[in-house]
Amino acid sequence: QEDLEALIAEFQSLDAKKTQVIESSCPPPSPRLNGSLSAHPEKDELILFGGEYFNGQKTYLYNELYVYNIRKNSWSKVEIPNPPPRRCAHQAAVVPTAGGQLWVFGGEFASPNGEQFYHYKDLWVLHLATKTWEQIKASGGPSGRSGHRMVACKRQLIVFGGFHESARDYIYYNDVYAFNLDSFTWSKLAPSGIGPSPRSGCQMATTPEGSIIIYGGYSKQRIKKDVDKGTLHTDMFLLEEDKWAWSRLNPSGVKPTPRSGFSVAIGPNNRSLLFGGVHDEEEEESIEGDFFNDMYFYDIGKNRWFPGQLKGPKSEKRKRRRGRDAEAEGARDEEMEKQPSQGPVEIVKEVVAEDGTVMTIKQVISGPAEEKERSESEEEEDGALGQQVEPCPRSNAMLAVKHGVLYVYGGMFEVGDRQFTLSDLYSIDLHKMEEWKVLVEMDPKAQEWLEESESDEEDDDMEGAEGGEEEESSEEESEDEGGEEQHPSVQPDEKHADYLSRTEQYWIKLARSNMGPDAKEKKVVKVAHAMAKTFYEDSV
């Protein structure tokens, strides 16, 4: 703990050397998860703060502030003196006071080796009009924690739940605190009734009347020495604001499937939404996760859940364009549109990273059973392209809603023991629910993964948490020099099938060495073919 406090203090002394606000345009932020993305209350901007990144050996924590300009689709970095220390899994809430304020509470700092954690209990406000950070020192607030939830409600910030982890133990919370935005004082609430059990990572939303809704979350318990059992919560509660009383909600409709690491936002029409997440199959030794990219809405007024399904704009436009001449075709289109009710469509994509690691991305599309069967080649192409434009499944992404448009940034997914941290940005108009737009694509070159080394590189601690950009280019160059050249080259005018039959054994051997001796032969062959295809297409 003392080591971490010393490291945090050292970072703060570096930050203290900044004396003026520097705003500079920049490329999109590097990959990260567990940061906060917030909509500016007055401008068409999104504000990204904090987050973490893990490259297989080292954990990087951030306290950078980025601003995304929605109209220009451009990023700028804003360096402001005396910011909060770097952190992830904090909470941020925006209030419209005095040109806009971004309030930040709690979160965690991790040692570069990811084995020690420091949980913050500090409260900060970013004055958006003057671009100044201010730490608010008020006693009686929540203990240090991360994974908690915080919302702005009337003239208060309400904090619920979260967890604290030390080297030896951990604790999950279900307490509720209120911070008064007029008197700048904390109070611990003692609601009547039976509320949620302790948990982190839940959904927390406000109703128009000022009450609060809690859904889901995650907690774990120690069942015997060194064995923990995780619980995915799926229950739902209402905390009534006028008398601070808990009651249980039993919503109708289609609830989200059990998951953790989902992201939440408030959409238009009095609906809160939930995106993505992961369902872990926990064995005693290992965890296998199914990642999601679906969306669920909770209608606060009707107390009802429903899945967010894409309507797909093309068929509508086409019907209008064709007029009455093609009623038979129109009927066929309608049949196509009804297909989703026959069940979701699963698509499996394979993406090969720079170092030859193959990620298999399963995508379950609950929207229209795309337009693949239609005869017009142009439309067929449109349909196929339309199908690809959506965020890949992920957990711990950052969400914000502005003018009824949802923005999804970053997050992560896992393949085997490898973690892929994302830096892409997508948007979807929640009023229309027609299609996802990709604003920033994921750059496979930004994917760095270092296998765990035997020695602990203690002397790298400082750069470790500093920020992860510098090391990546040299990593990739050495990967390229060592890797790319040795693959069997494609001969002039050689067809893919001929290349594959000539080099198949090489790729199977490479896939086997990547996947280990326990991988099933069928899977190894599939991965080998995907690697060969990717290499062939890159070479042609």
Side-chain angles (χ1 to χ4, degrees), residues 7 17 21 36 46 155 175 203 216 226 246 263 332-333 345 363 365 373 376-377 393 415 418-419 479 482 519-520 540:
L7 199 53
K17 291 176 184 164
V21 176
S36 57
L46 306 178
R155 290 290 299 152
D175 47 6
Q203 180 176 33
D226 297 332
W246 284 114
S263 307
R332 187 169 69 105
D333 278 358
V345 184
Q363 292 178 286
I365 295 181
E373 295 170 36
E376 294 92 335
S377 61
V415 177
R418 177 169 178 167
Q419 178 175 310
E479 293 279 351
K520 292 195 174 92
V540 174

Side-chain angles (χ1 to χ4, degrees), residues 315-344:
S315 51
E316 287 299 312
K317 286 178 191 156
R318 197 159 48 248
K319 265 184 236 171
R320 280 201 297 275
R321 201 168 57 231
R322 288 177 183 163
R324 292 184 181 173
D325 303 337
E327 275 180 22
E329 294 240 337
R332 187 169 69 105
D333 278 358
E334 275 172 36
E335 263 171 53
M336 290 295 294
E337 278 167 33
K338 284 175 193 158
Q339 270 189 327
S341 61
Q342 296 167 15

Side-chain angles (χ1 to χ4, degrees), residues 350-359 420 444 527 530-535 538:
E350 285 180 336
V351 180
V352 182
E354 289 284 287
D355 61 358
T357 303
V358 178
M359 320 175 243
F420 287 84
V527 167
M531 289 164 79
K533 185 178 180 207
T534 303
F535 180 74
D538 285 349

Side-chain angles (χ1 to χ4, degrees), residues 23 37-48 66-76 94 99-100 128 400-405 407 425 439:
E23 195 162 349
L37 188 66
S38 311
H40 194 297
E42 293 184 359
K43 298 182 180 175
D44 287 344
E45 292 177 349
L46 306 178
I47 303 153
L48 175 67
Y66 289 98
V67 174
Y68 175 70
N69 184 309
I70 292 171
R71 291 185 181 180
K72 295 179 181 168
N73 186 21
S74 63
W75 288 92
S76 56
V94 169
L128 297 172
V401 174
K402 182 74 181 178
H403 299 315
V405 176
Y407 296 86
L425 178 66
L439 302 171

Side-chain angles (χ1 to χ4, degrees), residues 26-32 48 64 66 75 409 423 469:
C26 64
S30 59
R32 64 196 61 203
L48 175 67
E64 302 155 327
Y66 289 98
W75 288 92
Y409 173 76
S423 57
E469 282 88 38

Side-chain angles (χ1 to χ4, degrees), residues 199-489:
R199 63 193 63 196
S200 73
C202 63
Q203 180 176 33
M204 186 178 187
T206 55
T207 70
E209 300 76 46
S211 295
I212 284 161
I213 284 162
I214 300 287
Y215 165 76
Y218 175 83
S219 63
K220 62 183 182 182
Q221 291 170 295
R222 187 143 292 163
I223 48 176
K224 56 185 184 198
K225 192 178 187 306
D226 297 332
V227 178
D228 298 320
K229 182 179 186 297
T231 301
L232 295 175
H233 299 279
T234 57
D235 47 3
M236 199 159 186
F237 295 85
L238 176 72
L239 178 60
E240 287 181 69
E241 187 262 347
D242 52 352
K243 53 183 188 291
W244 296 122
W246 284 114
S247 58
R248 183 113 184 205
L249 286 173
N250 292 304
S252 61
V254 182
K255 281 169 78 168
T257 53
R259 62 189 68 195
S260 63
F262 53 76
S263 307
V264 300
I266 295 285
N269 305 326
N270 199 11
R271 290 168 177 174
S272 68
L273 71 91
L274 174 157
F275 169 82
V278 59
H279 183 277
D280 288 326
E281 295 294 336
E282 293 192 21
E283 303 292 320
E284 283 199 6
E285 293 301 314
S286 65
I287 292 180
E288 276 291 311
D290 267 335
F291 288 80
F292 302 104
N293 64 346
D294 51 359
M295 213 186 316
Y296 284 84
F297 291 91
Y298 174 70
D299 188 313
I300 294 169
K302 294 178 180 164
N303 186 26
R304 179 172 165 267
W305 280 104
F306 59 95
Q309 297 199 331
L310 299 193
K311 295 178 183 135
K314 300 183 191 77
S315 51
E316 287 299 312
K317 286 178 191 156
R318 197 159 48 248
K319 265 184 236 171
R320 280 201 297 275
R321 201 168 57 231
R322 288 177 183 163
R324 292 184 181 173
D325 303 337
E327 275 180 22
E329 294 240 337
R332 187 169 69 105
D333 278 358
E334 275 172 36
E335 263 171 53
M336 290 295 294
E337 278 167 33
K338 284 175 193 158
Q339 270 189 327
S341 61
Q342 296 167 15
V345 184
E346 182 169 272
I347 292 174
V348 178
K349 285 189 204 165
E350 285 180 336
V351 180
V352 182
E354 289 284 287
D355 61 358
T357 303
V358 178
M359 320 175 243
T360 303
I361 302 176
K362 271 192 189 174
Q363 292 178 286
V364 178
I365 295 181
S366 55
E370 284 291 347
E371 298 153 42
K372 278 190 166 172
E373 295 170 36
R374 301 213 170 105
S375 54
E376 294 92 335
S377 61
E378 176 197 353
E379 280 165 14
E380 229 170 74
E381 214 171 279
D382 275 354
L385 287 174
Q387 201 158 14
Q388 287 167 3
V389 177
E390 59 169 9
C392 71
R394 65 190 67 197
S395 71
N396 305 86
M398 290 138 274
L399 305 191
V401 174
K402 182 74 181 178
H403 299 315
V405 176
L406 169 70
Y407 296 86
V408 175
Y409 173 76
M412 63 83 95
F413 64 92
E414 290 164 346
V415 177
D417 291 336
R418 177 169 178 167
Q419 178 175 310
F420 287 84
T421 307
L422 300 162
S423 57
D424 48 3
L425 178 66
Y426 285 80
S427 70
I428 185 168
D429 186 324
L430 297 173
H431 290 292
K432 296 178 182 170
M433 283 299 285
E434 287 181 347
E435 59 189 340
W436 284 99
K437 290 181 178 162
V438 59
L439 302 171
V440 177
E441 293 197 53
M442 181 175 94
D443 178 7
K445 290 197 173 79
Q447 293 298 330
E448 172 191 55
W449 188 255
L450 309 176
E451 294 305 326
E452 283 181 48
S453 62
E454 294 304 308
S455 63
D456 281 337
E457 298 157 38
E458 291 299 326
D459 51 6
D460 284 351
D461 279 7
M462 270 306 293
E463 308 94 76
E466 184 69 32
E469 282 88 38
E470 305 80 30
E471 296 170 299
E472 291 181 13
S473 52
S474 58
E475 273 303 317
E476 272 148 22
E477 280 155 24
S478 61
E479 293 279 351
D480 283 358
E481 286 158 21
E484 294 292 352
E485 257 107 269
Q486 297 157 8
H487 299 326
S489 56

